[in-house]
Amino acid sequence: MQKRTAHQIADVLIEALPYIQRFKGKTVVVKFGGNAMVDEALKQSFARDIVLMKLVGMNPIVVHGGGPQIGQLLARLGKTTGFVDGMRITDSETMDVVEMVLGGLVNKEIVNLINRNGGKAVGLTGKDGDFIRAKKIHLKKSAPEANVSEIIDLGYVGEVTSIDPAVVDMLGRSDFIPVIAPIGVGDDGRSYNINADLVAGKIAEVLKAEKLMLLTNTAGILDKEGNLLTGLSIKDIDDLVDDGTISGGMIPKTRCATDALNGGVTSVHIIDGRVEHAVLLELFTNQGVGTLLLRASRDKASLT
């Protein structure tokens, strides 16, 4: 039994070897969110995955969300907030809570997890080094009965206007692992809450990352029968959106993915964060645990 187990381990390492060789020295941006952020076993496996990536010569950069944690603290404070198209309406008081949770509690927990597993993580927000510049989102919704567009004020919800990669690039190419909270700063010095997927995508674009990995609470992109799709091109994604196969909350993720691919990122992975060691399984095995997106269709094995 022991000998067979050793052979199985050897087989796994051999399967991983070409991926390790290909991605050595490459930058991989990982958006950490969903169940993986609240389940203790999943948090530990994620931290170990990131540390191992660094040890085999890759440059992982972590961008995290924190919506559930923000909601929990707001509830404890007796403050209610609304949502429009999945975006939290963020007034001044709510933004204080967002900064406290994202830039403090959640960010430092992830940093601590990585450090406890043998890594050297450094926590950042976009205000550090002024590296994520943002502006207020002006959301327009059509009002057919009035034949006009209604402008909805979401408060301090922003979008990325520019990213200065110097700080993150310096850390990523050293022994450190950047862990980034998606908070940007406007020209007026105000803080803005930004969708973590969008921040991860923009950072991947600016750094010309090899990969952008988005952890989700689903198996990946599914067809209408519920089967996992992978090896999709930008055209495939457009077709799946047009025929309604991709809908709801998956649309923003695929838009983020196609923007990143068009911006120079080699591949995007939408992976199942409910699976332990999902990042390593997607990176270093032929089967993977999610959907691989490319500018043009290719088999995953051709990436080795």
Side-chain angles (χ1 to χ4, degrees), residues 138-143 145 148-153:
H138 296 283
L139 183 65
K140 291 184 178 180
K141 290 183 72 72
S142 60
E145 66 280 359
V148 295
S149 293
E150 177 187 6
I151 298 178
I152 298 176
D153 187 358

mmCIF file of all heavy atoms in Angstrom, residues 138-143 145 148-153:
data_model
loop_
_atom_site.group_PDB
_atom_site.id
_atom_site.type_symbol
_atom_site.label_atom_id
_atom_site.label_comp_id
_atom_site.label_asym_id
_atom_site.label_seq_id
_atom_site.Cartn_x
_atom_site.Cartn_y
_atom_site.Cartn_z
ATOM 1 N N HIS A 138 -21.215 56.239 -12.364
ATOM 2 C CA HIS A 138 -22.512 56.873 -12.608
ATOM 3 C C HIS A 138 -23.378 55.844 -13.322
ATOM 4 O O HIS A 138 -23.241 55.622 -14.533
ATOM 5 C CB HIS A 138 -22.348 58.141 -13.444
ATOM 6 C CG HIS A 138 -21.563 59.215 -12.739
ATOM 7 N ND1 HIS A 138 -22.095 60.002 -11.753
ATOM 8 C CD2 HIS A 138 -20.270 59.611 -12.880
ATOM 9 C CE1 HIS A 138 -21.179 60.849 -11.312
ATOM 10 N NE2 HIS A 138 -20.063 60.633 -11.978
ATOM 11 N N LEU A 139 -24.243 55.193 -12.571
ATOM 12 C CA LEU A 139 -25.058 54.118 -13.113
ATOM 13 C C LEU A 139 -26.331 54.666 -13.732
ATOM 14 O O LEU A 139 -27.094 55.389 -13.089
ATOM 15 C CB LEU A 139 -25.409 53.118 -12.000
ATOM 16 C CG LEU A 139 -26.213 51.890 -12.422
ATOM 17 C CD1 LEU A 139 -25.402 51.025 -13.378
ATOM 18 C CD2 LEU A 139 -26.630 51.084 -11.201
ATOM 19 N N LYS A 140 -26.546 54.320 -14.985
ATOM 20 C CA LYS A 140 -27.759 54.753 -15.685
ATOM 21 C C LYS A 140 -28.691 53.564 -15.876
ATOM 22 O O LYS A 140 -28.265 52.496 -16.314
ATOM 23 C CB LYS A 140 -27.417 55.357 -17.054
ATOM 24 C CG LYS A 140 -26.696 56.689 -16.989
ATOM 25 C CD LYS A 140 -26.486 57.259 -18.379
ATOM 26 C CE LYS A 140 -25.802 58.613 -18.329
ATOM 27 N NZ LYS A 140 -25.593 59.189 -19.697
ATOM 28 N N LYS A 141 -29.935 53.753 -15.505
ATOM 29 C CA LYS A 141 -30.955 52.724 -15.742
ATOM 30 C C LYS A 141 -32.092 53.360 -16.530
ATOM 31 O O LYS A 141 -32.505 54.481 -16.250
ATOM 32 C CB LYS A 141 -31.480 52.150 -14.416
ATOM 33 C CG LYS A 141 -30.450 51.296 -13.688
ATOM 34 C CD LYS A 141 -31.025 50.694 -12.422
ATOM 35 C CE LYS A 141 -32.015 49.588 -12.718
ATOM 36 N NZ LYS A 141 -31.354 48.366 -13.226
ATOM 37 N N SER A 142 -32.559 52.626 -17.510
ATOM 38 C CA SER A 142 -33.619 53.164 -18.355
ATOM 39 C C SER A 142 -34.950 53.191 -17.610
ATOM 40 O O SER A 142 -35.248 52.308 -16.809
ATOM 41 C CB SER A 142 -33.769 52.332 -19.631
ATOM 42 O OG SER A 142 -34.095 50.997 -19.313
ATOM 43 N N ALA A 143 -35.706 54.239 -17.841
ATOM 44 C CA ALA A 143 -37.057 54.364 -17.287
ATOM 45 C C ALA A 143 -38.016 54.492 -18.476
ATOM 46 O O ALA A 143 -38.339 55.598 -18.916
ATOM 47 C CB ALA A 143 -37.148 55.580 -16.370
ATOM 48 N N GLU A 145 -41.137 54.219 -18.976
ATOM 49 C CA GLU A 145 -42.386 54.963 -18.852
ATOM 50 C C GLU A 145 -42.175 56.460 -19.044
ATOM 51 O O GLU A 145 -43.087 57.181 -19.453
ATOM 52 C CB GLU A 145 -43.034 54.692 -17.475
ATOM 53 C CG GLU A 145 -42.254 55.204 -16.267
ATOM 54 C CD GLU A 145 -41.104 54.294 -15.869
ATOM 55 O OE1 GLU A 145 -40.925 53.241 -16.530
ATOM 56 O OE2 GLU A 145 -40.389 54.620 -14.914
ATOM 57 N N VAL A 148 -36.730 58.142 -20.556
ATOM 58 C CA VAL A 148 -35.457 58.764 -20.199
ATOM 59 C C VAL A 148 -34.616 57.748 -19.439
ATOM 60 O O VAL A 148 -35.096 56.687 -19.037
ATOM 61 C CB VAL A 148 -35.658 60.020 -19.306
ATOM 62 C CG1 VAL A 148 -36.380 61.108 -20.074
ATOM 63 C CG2 VAL A 148 -36.391 59.661 -18.027
ATOM 64 N N SER A 149 -33.349 58.084 -19.226
ATOM 65 C CA SER A 149 -32.471 57.260 -18.408
ATOM 66 C C SER A 149 -32.354 57.885 -17.024
ATOM 67 O O SER A 149 -32.123 59.086 -16.898
ATOM 68 C CB SER A 149 -31.084 57.151 -19.051
ATOM 69 O OG SER A 149 -31.153 56.427 -20.252
ATOM 70 N N GLU A 150 -32.519 57.038 -16.006
ATOM 71 C CA GLU A 150 -32.400 57.502 -14.623
ATOM 72 C C GLU A 150 -30.979 57.287 -14.140
ATOM 73 O O GLU A 150 -30.402 56.207 -14.321
ATOM 74 C CB GLU A 150 -33.375 56.719 -13.742
ATOM 75 C CG GLU A 150 -33.295 57.068 -12.271
ATOM 76 C CD GLU A 150 -34.157 56.146 -11.428
ATOM 77 O OE1 GLU A 150 -34.725 55.177 -11.973
ATOM 78 O OE2 GLU A 150 -34.242 56.394 -10.211
ATOM 79 N N ILE A 151 -30.367 58.306 -13.541
ATOM 80 C CA ILE A 151 -29.024 58.182 -12.986
ATOM 81 C C ILE A 151 -29.145 57.838 -11.510
ATOM 82 O O ILE A 151 -29.753 58.575 -10.735
ATOM 83 C CB ILE A 151 -28.213 59.479 -13.177
ATOM 84 C CG1 ILE A 151 -28.045 59.776 -14.673
ATOM 85 C CG2 ILE A 151 -26.854 59.357 -12.501
ATOM 86 C CD1 ILE A 151 -27.310 61.066 -14.966
ATOM 87 N N ILE A 152 -28.580 56.693 -11.118
ATOM 88 C CA ILE A 152 -28.671 56.215 -9.746
ATOM 89 C C ILE A 152 -27.358 56.499 -9.027
ATOM 90 O O ILE A 152 -26.276 56.151 -9.525
ATOM 91 C CB ILE A 152 -28.985 54.710 -9.706
ATOM 92 C CG1 ILE A 152 -30.340 54.455 -10.371
ATOM 93 C CG2 ILE A 152 -28.975 54.182 -8.276
ATOM 94 C CD1 ILE A 152 -30.702 53.004 -10.468
ATOM 95 N N ASP A 153 -27.446 57.125 -7.867
ATOM 96 C CA ASP A 153 -26.269 57.458 -7.081
ATOM 97 C C ASP A 153 -25.943 56.286 -6.158
ATOM 98 O O ASP A 153 -26.686 55.984 -5.227
ATOM 99 C CB ASP A 153 -26.515 58.724 -6.252
ATOM 100 C CG ASP A 153 -25.254 59.212 -5.550
ATOM 101 O OD1 ASP A 153 -24.204 58.546 -5.675
ATOM 102 O OD2 ASP A 153 -25.316 60.255 -4.873
#
